[in-house]
Amino acid sequence: MRTIGLLGLVCYACLQLPFAAIEAADTTRIELPPVFFEPRSGPALVQTGIDWGEIRVAEHDAEWVAVSATVTPGVDVQPVLRKNELELRVEAGEGFHSIELEILVPRGTSLALEVRRGGEVLVDGAGGAVEVSNRNGSVALRQLRGAASVHARNGSIDASFDHVDGETAMAFSTLNGSVDVSLPAGTAADLSIRYNRGGVESDFVLEDASGTGLASADVSGLDPRETRVLRGRINGGGPRYYFETANGTVYLRRGA
Amino acid sequence: MSRHRADEDLESVLRHCADDDERERLRRLWGRLGALASPAPPPDLAARFSAALHDARANARHRRSTGWRLAAALAAGLLLGIVGTRQLAPITDGPSGSAALELQLREARHALALAALPGATATSRLTAVTALTPAAARDARSRSALAALAAADRDLNVRMLAAQGLGPHLDDPELLATLTGMLDADGEPLMNIVLLDVFVERSATTALPAIERLADQASDDPLVSEKARWAARTLRQRRNRT
């Protein structure tokens, strides 16, 4: 346990180093002109990926995408629009670069966001599908109204849904960190939860629960290297929701 | 049978055998099915698909960029989608319409899943994987599609779920070789954990050399090495017992 704590401390310190560097470095503010999707070209998608830094996305009541960024010298952001898909291409030279990307999108836009080295992803409102990958750092998604597939290799996932798409599967996975997902009380889904070290805490009653990781069961006799698997339905069942963490706890919370 | 006639039959059966929610869900599904395009497949379809799959597997032995992962999954998914939509059987007549309709709706859902694979969003591909997994027992197209996604999708969750969906079919040596290759090729620790679980669950002792290689490597996460050593030991014990 002490070893895990020490490892966590070392990881945290390593993750903080780049951000200390960005604070010390000069930064530039970039504002892109508003980007409009091609009319009637289908559901809109905004995608972007950065190495280091932070991606923040929120919705606004407008038909365009607004992008601003705070970057270290040598970084540029180029919008590439293909009908209903906007790719924000972040171009950087050699060496360490960091970027804080702020994106405002029209309601209902889908998102595909990636942090390849380390940082944070924050989404405040999304009515479309959300796809997030973060190698080192946490992911926080609030006021979602569609579906999501989220992976954080070393970091926690915190997602709360105001509404879920009743036909679409979702997945939340992390290697080291907790998975904390809040779903509307009436959500109907087939749950599949896998974890190695940690546990499951659920506000929902799992119907027809089966597996080796039942929340109420004593799993102390199991080999810690064996993955615990818990399956069950909530509110009669529906699309499959998949949760996985190797080192951490899965929290399922009942929202309003 | 004409589309119009099929719509009428569907309505008739639904009136007698489904509640409001089920009726609405099936009607939506039927509407989406009707909207699918079914272009004629080119004559070299099978050869192109085999080549795409072969390339994807060959490339999987090397560390890959997310670009080709997506491209391979999309190419395989698109070709499979075209085949899937064209192979839908017409809706049946007769007194056993309810059972036949259920069967055909299952087929429809399956075809929709294949057609959805090139979808731009990860959640649409996740949904396709969950629809293809139960069909994989009886349908080689589903197994091929799952293999392509497990090897090449850019979204780790899609890859993990597809690999788990292939678990029950590891008696197919080609699939086993594909998943074993992924253990060497996929650098994500969580994917390695999923694959190790699949191999142990299915007692896939032929995967032992790849598992032992993983156990000997310095992994990004100590749990992976630890788990690989445990999986190798467990499988060796099972092999010795038999």
Side-chain angles (χ1 to χ4, degrees), chain B residues 36-214:
Chain B
L36 287 175
S38 53
D44 61 341
L45 174 71
R48 278 166 52 197
F49 172 65
S50 297
L53 198 59
H54 177 78
D55 286 346
R57 284 177 181 158
N59 287 339
R61 294 190 183 91
H62 305 287
R63 293 297 299 269
R64 303 143 301 180
S65 70
T66 53
W68 82 259
R69 281 175 188 228
L70 183 61
L74 294 186
L78 180 64
L79 291 169
L80 284 164
I82 291 168
V83 173
T85 50
R86 285 192 60 77
Q87 291 195 349
L88 270 179
I91 202 147
T92 50
D93 294 312
S96 60
S98 176
L101 179 70
E102 193 182 324
L103 179 69
Q104 301 219 358
L105 282 169
R106 204 163 55 220
E107 287 295 313
R109 199 171 287 126
H110 178 208
L112 275 171
L114 286 166
L117 287 182
T121 64
T123 52
S124 68
R125 298 194 303 280
L126 278 174
T127 307
V129 168
T130 60
L132 291 172
T133 298
R138 62 179 190 285
D139 179 55
R141 290 171 302 158
S142 300
R143 292 195 293 276
S144 297
L146 287 174
L149 290 169
D153 200 273
R154 72 175 182 197
D155 187 89
L156 173 63
N157 291 329
V158 175
R159 297 206 302 281
M160 289 196 301
L161 277 178
Q164 287 176 45
L166 290 171
H169 314 295
L170 290 193
D171 49 344
D172 177 341
E174 203 176 337
L175 280 181
L176 179 57
T178 303
L179 286 195
T180 306
M182 283 176 217
L183 203 57
D184 285 326
D186 199 304
E188 282 293 341
L190 217 48
M191 182 67 170
N192 290 335
I193 288 173
V194 163
L195 289 168
L196 290 169
D197 283 333
V198 168
F199 293 139
V200 170
E201 198 178 309
R202 297 291 154 184
S203 297
T205 51
T206 52
L208 257 171
I211 295 172
E212 284 163 346
R213 274 196 300 278
L214 184 66

Side-chain angles (χ1 to χ4, degrees), chain A residues 13 77 86 92 137 145 147 152 171 174 192-193 195 198 225 239 245 252 254:
Chain A
V77 182
L86 172 64
R145 302 186 308 282
T174 172
S192 176
I193 304 168
Y195 62 98
R225 290 160 296 193
T245 174
L252 287 175
R254 192 200 313 260

Side-chain angles (χ1 to χ4, degrees), chain A residues 23-53:
Chain A
E23 278 170 19
D26 291 335
T27 55
T28 311
R29 182 88 175 157
I30 298 172
E31 301 269 354
L32 295 186
V35 181
F36 290 83
F37 294 106
E38 191 171 293
R40 293 178 296 281
S41 58
L45 169 71
V46 171
Q47 54 184 318
T48 192
I50 63 173
D51 283 338
W52 294 100

